[in-house]
């Protein structure tokens, strides 16, 4: 994954895999404000190794009918837009995702275990938002907000912050 420079003060955002698909594969116009915010540095998309692996796996689904060269382009586009949360060393010296250190009780439990990683990543990275259209994740929005964790919303409902300059002032 390519290293990107974080813009000082840019809030972090986690996108579930379907939002990444809408953004990069389908170029869904409803994600245009999100794309503009990512491109301008107004927000920083955060991923980890597990989310990136899921992205690569999903791009190989037959339903998408993506040629290998197109999959490579999409992985490169993902890497260019996403900042990878650094791995941490476990007690045994092995690298693991920083979200693995998130306390089990610190984020709500999602009904779909495959989506739990997005909640844990949002918490571990200090993200301000988790964008999704998944009903299991969206059903936890009120609880996460009430507990002061992060906002869970759809890309359509999300409102982009104003871009900040490298000195942290608004543009």
């Amino acid at each position: 994954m390519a290293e990107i420079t974080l813009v000082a003060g840019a809030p972090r955002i986690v996108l579930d895999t379907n939002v990444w698909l809408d953004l990069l594969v389908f170029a869904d116009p409803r994600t245009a404000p999100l794309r503009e915010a990512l491109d301008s540095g107004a927000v920083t998309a955060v991923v980890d190794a597990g989310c990136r692996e899921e992205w690569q796996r999903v791009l190989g689904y037959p339903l998408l009918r993506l040629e290998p060269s197109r999959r490579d382009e999409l992985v490169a586009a993902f890497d260019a837009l996403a900042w990878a949360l650094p791995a941490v060393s476990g007690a045994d010296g092995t690298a693991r995702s920083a979200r693995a250190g998130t306390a089990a009780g610190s984020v709500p439990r999602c009904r779909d275990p495959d989506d739990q990683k997005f909640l844990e990543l949002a918490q571990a990275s200090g993200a301000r938002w988790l964008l999704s259209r998944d009903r299991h994740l969206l059903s936890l929005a009120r609880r996460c907000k009430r507990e002061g964790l992060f906002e869970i919303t759809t890309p359509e409902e999300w409102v982009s912050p104003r871009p900040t300059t490298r000195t942290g002032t608004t543009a």
Side-chain angles (χ1 to χ4, degrees):
M1 178 170 282
E3 285 208 24
I4 65 169
T5 303
L6 296 177
V7 175
R12 295 178 180 182
I13 191 167
V14 171
L15 312 177
D16 77 5
T17 305
N18 285 315
V19 174
W20 279 110
L21 285 168
D22 289 343
L23 187 71
L24 298 177
V25 175
F26 304 118
D28 186 330
R30 297 175 297 174
T31 63
L34 172 60
R35 182 61 189 249
E36 290 170 18
L38 290 167
D39 288 343
S40 72
V43 294
T44 298
V46 182
V47 299
D48 65 7
C51 294
R52 186 174 188 273
E53 289 167 10
E54 180 173 290
W55 173 246
Q56 291 175 302
R57 185 176 62 254
V58 167
L59 292 178
Y61 287 178
L63 181 65
L64 293 176
R65 298 183 197 158
L66 297 171
E67 295 294 325
S69 61
R70 179 66 177 137
R71 288 195 299 264
D72 291 344
E73 290 170 6
L74 290 165
V75 169
F78 178 93
D79 289 347
L81 287 173
W83 177 72
L85 187 66
V88 296
S89 294
D92 60 359
T94 59
R96 60 190 174 94
S97 169
R99 72 178 157 85
T102 303
S106 65
V107 293
R109 182 67 43 203
C110 187
R111 286 185 183 200
D112 182 349
D114 289 337
D115 290 331
Q116 187 67 32
K117 67 180 158 291
F118 299 112
L119 295 165
E120 292 171 2
L121 177 60
Q123 177 67 14
S125 68
R128 186 168 164 190
W129 303 280
L130 167 56
L131 299 190
S132 178
R133 286 196 183 89
D134 182 276
R135 66 183 170 89
H136 293 114
L137 288 170
L138 292 170
S139 72
L140 298 170
R142 282 214 321 255
R143 181 173 170 194
C144 285
K145 189 172 186 174
R146 181 179 65 241
E147 293 178 9
L149 298 173
F150 44 83
E151 292 180 50
I152 302 174
T153 189
T154 64
E156 298 85 355
E157 294 172 347
W158 177 75
V159 177
S160 172
R162 292 183 55 174
T164 56
T165 63
R166 298 229 179 250
T167 60
T169 59
T170 56

